[in-house]
Amino acid sequence: MTNMYDEPRMEEDTLTPYPSESKSKAKFNSDPGGYILSVEQRARERQVAIETVRLLRRRVIECYRKEGVNHYENCKKPVQDYCDIIIKKDFGQLQPPNKNE
């Protein structure tokens, strides 16, 4: 049969943050390939974070519609997951290490 009725699985891998890119000309001139790769990686991480928020929001909406008046009790977990993500900086996307820390 198909896995249509299985719960969706989320991979729990830990990803390493992309290397920091600075907007200075010196960084771009010293390693233009690395600079462009880090900019592209940041864009991908941003898109993943946005899609994660969309999926969590969709789960909250589906739960509210399914549970009706009982959504206060039965939808606490999806709502808590959604709130935890949206209050993080940049929706919890990976950030490069800060050189000031």
Side-chain angles (χ1 to χ4, degrees), residues 50-99:
I50 290 170
E51 288 300 319
T52 302
V53 170
R54 284 184 185 158
L55 288 173
L56 291 173
R57 184 165 189 257
R58 192 174 303 144
R59 287 182 188 163
V60 169
I61 291 170
E62 287 173 2
C63 185
Y64 276 21
R65 288 179 181 164
K66 182 177 108 178
E67 298 299 333
V69 296
N70 297 325
H71 71 271
Y72 290 112
E73 295 173 4
N74 299 338
C75 296
K76 285 183 181 178
K77 173 90 170 88
V79 170
Q80 187 62 43
D81 292 343
Y82 179 67
C83 290
D84 289 343
I85 284 289
I86 63 170
I87 62 173
K88 290 182 182 176
K89 178 182 177 190
D90 291 333
F91 303 128
Q93 92 181 44
L94 289 177
Q95 298 290 331
N98 191 354
K99 294 179 182 173

Side-chain angles (χ1 to χ4, degrees), residues 16-31:
T16 57
Y18 52 93
S20 177
E21 84 274 349
S22 63
K23 305 243 185 234
S24 68
K25 290 263 187 192
K27 176 71 175 173
F28 180 75
N29 289 337
S30 67
D31 185 17

